[in-house]
Amino acid sequence: MAMEAHEDVPALLVALCRQFYGLGWVSGTGGGISVRAAEGIWMAPSGVQKERIAVEDLFLLDRNELDRAVVVRPARNPELRVSECQPLFYNAYRLRDAGAVIHSHSIWAVVAAALFVSDARHGGTFRCQGLEMQKGLRGKGCFDELVIPIIPNTPREAELREAMAAAMNEHPDVDAVLVSGHGLYVWGRDWVQAKTQAECLDFLFRAVVELHRSGLAPRSGG
Ligand code: ZN
């Protein structure tokens, strides 16, 4: 589904932040979302209560300058800063021509990654197979093996940039990168596909964790 030209992207971002807060994806001021619209790239500020964001708190950035953040219209409050996730969101815009990117701090992403990588300083891969919700992911069937790269966490969010880009280049068939002990970056051609894939992945992470806890999931690889 393509984004309508008249769509109110700032209002959409505010609504999605509330919804993602309800899902536990952006609690404790973590996580975030960015959408690339005709007028530029919309992004929430850093370190704020995501469920209380207003449209005046959003930043608008130049959609054609993807090597650095060029603010076209800052948030109204001068104390607000562009999201710490900005370089990671730009990875998806630059390397995959994404239309929207979601960063989730979901507990299910964290625990699922920990099933495959026990130390948050290391990377690896998350794997699952045979689950219906895999069909919500680009190019995946329910009997395919889904492999999502896991990169090591870093003290600062922006320091994830190069490892995320390398993982994206190594795994061109998926639109997501897990960060060990931290969460998930997931994107799509538009906000609808990004949100759909984020929801399907969260389901799959939870399913794998619960199946593993029940002794039902023979997890592969590492
Ligand atoms: Zn984060």
Side-chain angles (χ1 to χ4, degrees), residues 134-149:
Q134 293 177 203
K135 285 158 68 175
L137 304 173
R138 175 176 61 86
K140 290 287 175 290
C142 59
F143 297 112
D144 294 335
E145 187 187 35
L146 172 66
V147 180
I148 305 280

Side-chain angles (χ1 to χ4, degrees), residues 25 29-32 84-85 88 103-105 153 157 160 179 182-185:
W25 294 1
T29 77
E84 293 272 340
C85 310
L88 299 317
H103 176 43
S104 155
H105 279 193
N153 200 15
E157 194 97 30
L160 296 168
V179 185
H182 180 158
L184 174 75
Y185 280 88

